[in-house]
Amino acid sequence: MFYRDERLALFIDGSNLYAAAKSLGFDIDYKLLRSEFMRRGKMLRAFYYTALLENDEYSPIRPLVDWLHYNGFSMVTKPAKEYTDSMGRRKVKGNMDIELTVDAMELAPHVDHVVLFSGDGDFRPLVESLQRKGVRVSVVSTIRSQPPMIADELRRQCDNFIELDELRDVVGRPPREPRPEVDEELVTTE
């Protein structure tokens, strides 16, 4: 599925990958994830996309963002929007689909293989467009959660589907105790 001389780029939809791993009962060790894909090919870039709550004094995702930034990941962030839903619950919205799509299309002429860490069906047209440019696309998500975290149309479009649960022993670590603050799972991508 991977060739050692392939130029790779990773595109990580942070909130989507977090939710998929959480549904499977483990956390991602990003150092191991980066090492695993560097072993599989010539990794040019590893992008991580997430929205941040800028108005909070402390964002629980900030330490992860800082660590990723200092450890070889290209961070793409933007302020999340906070709102109250019809039930009076505090919600956070932060969709990074456009940013990820633009970056993938710009990098397409320089890579052979894109690895997309997301199950979001909105990425199907991106995958199709990358394939028309001669880029192979692997998608990492899970069908083992209830409901499955990957959209069927995205799974059918990609060249290679990688079941996240099968990467557990390679890139996973046991989950931490839940924090009382806002967590990545609260950031919706609608």
Side-chain angles (χ1 to χ4, degrees), residues 84-100:
T84 305
D85 71 7
S86 60
M87 303 294 286
R89 293 177 299 221
R90 178 179 169 224
K91 295 282 189 170
V92 178
K93 183 177 181 180
N95 190 316
M96 299 295 292
D97 293 4
I98 297 298
E99 290 82 356
L100 190 154

Side-chain angles (χ1 to χ4, degrees), residues 56-127:
D56 282 359
E57 285 186 30
Y58 171 76
S59 172
I61 194 169
R62 178 51 77 183
L64 173 63
V65 168
D66 290 343
W67 187 92
L68 291 170
H69 186 73
Y70 286 112
N71 286 278
F73 287 80
S74 298
M75 298 305 302
V76 183
T77 64
K78 73 178 180 185
K81 304 216 182 334
E82 194 173 346
Y83 67 97
T84 305
D85 71 7
S86 60
M87 303 294 286
R89 293 177 299 221
R90 178 179 169 224
K91 295 282 189 170
V92 178
K93 183 177 181 180
N95 190 316
M96 299 295 292
D97 293 4
I98 297 298
E99 290 82 356
L100 190 154
T101 299
V102 168
D103 290 345
M105 292 305 293
E106 285 181 349
L107 202 57
H110 308 286
V111 297
D112 303 306
H113 196 153
V114 161
V115 183
L116 173 63
F117 291 80
S118 181
D120 187 340
D122 290 344
F123 288 123
R124 193 208 57 75
L126 167 64
V127 171

Side-chain angles (χ1 to χ4, degrees), residues 12-23:
I12 302 169
D13 177 348
S15 63
N16 195 286
L17 180 59
Y18 173 87
K22 185 173 181 185
S23 75

